[in-house]
Amino acid sequence: MHDVLLIPVLEAPMEAYLPVFSCRVPAGFPSPATDELEGLFDLNRLLFRHPDATYLVRVSGESMSGAEIHAGDLLAVDKHLEADHGHIVVAVVEGDCTVKRLERRGESWWLVPANPAFQPYRIRTGEELHIWGVVTHVVHELIPGRLAALLHSRD
């Protein structure tokens, strides 16, 4: 069940203001683009709603590929949010850390992968289970290697 690698966050995130443009970029047919600057946006406000209760993890394995979470992706995980049915969570079951979708099926709770090659896991009464937080965002790298290089440079 080792699907995640914890990344220590040693200090509160600094503000990261980026320009936001008012035009939307179509994913279909091209249209004329406008370059009106709508303002600046601190990306941390999106990724870290509760900065003191948020951490980052790196994904290994492909059990969540159907949810567009792949090996090497970076997850923002909020410990402040209460996990509920349908949330993707980071959980520790009997000492093993994993990322799965939490589902209630009748009276039972399950950790469900988003890849049919993996089996759902029924949470049994009395089993040692800790929910380490709810996944709020996925950083999926489109130019391979940059994220890994940045994370390794911190070592």
Side-chain angles (χ1 to χ4, degrees):
M1 261 202 211
H2 301 285
D3 284 340
V4 296
L5 170 67
L6 297 177
I7 298 170
V9 178
L10 303 177
E11 55 193 52
M14 295 177 9
E15 294 176 339
Y17 287 100
L18 299 173
V20 177
F21 292 91
S22 59
C23 69
R24 293 185 182 249
V25 178
F29 292 103
S31 69
T34 63
D35 59 357
E36 287 186 38
L37 182 63
E38 188 173 309
L40 296 176
F41 182 77
D42 180 8
L43 195 55
N44 291 314
R45 288 183 53 211
L46 173 68
L47 292 176
F48 308 116
R49 272 182 53 198
H50 305 106
D52 293 339
T54 300
Y55 63 94
L56 301 173
V57 292
R58 191 96 187 270
V59 176
S60 66
E62 291 293 332
S63 72
M64 294 302 290
S65 62
E68 297 304 325
I69 298 174
H70 302 280
D73 286 352
L74 197 60
L75 305 179
V77 183
D78 191 329
K79 297 184 295 184
H80 184 73
L81 297 177
E82 186 174 334
D84 200 1
H85 171 77
H87 287 165
I88 294 176
V89 299
V90 173
V92 179
V93 181
E94 298 292 333
D96 287 331
C97 192
T98 190
V99 59
K100 298 286 184 282
R101 186 174 307 277
L102 184 64
E103 289 186 6
R104 182 163 188 119
R105 298 178 179 175
E107 296 299 313
S108 300
W109 285 93
W110 294 74
L111 294 172
V112 180
N115 179 336
F118 295 82
Q119 294 297 312
Y121 182 84
R122 182 172 174 258
I123 301 167
R124 294 176 182 12
T125 304
E127 188 168 39
E128 186 181 342
L129 169 77
H130 301 282
I131 302 293
W132 278 11
V134 176
V135 175
T136 58
H137 293 87
V138 179
V139 178
H140 180 78
E141 188 172 39
L142 297 179
I143 301 174
R146 181 74 176 138
L147 180 60
L150 286 171
L151 291 173
H152 288 306
S153 69
R154 296 183 61 195
D155 295 341

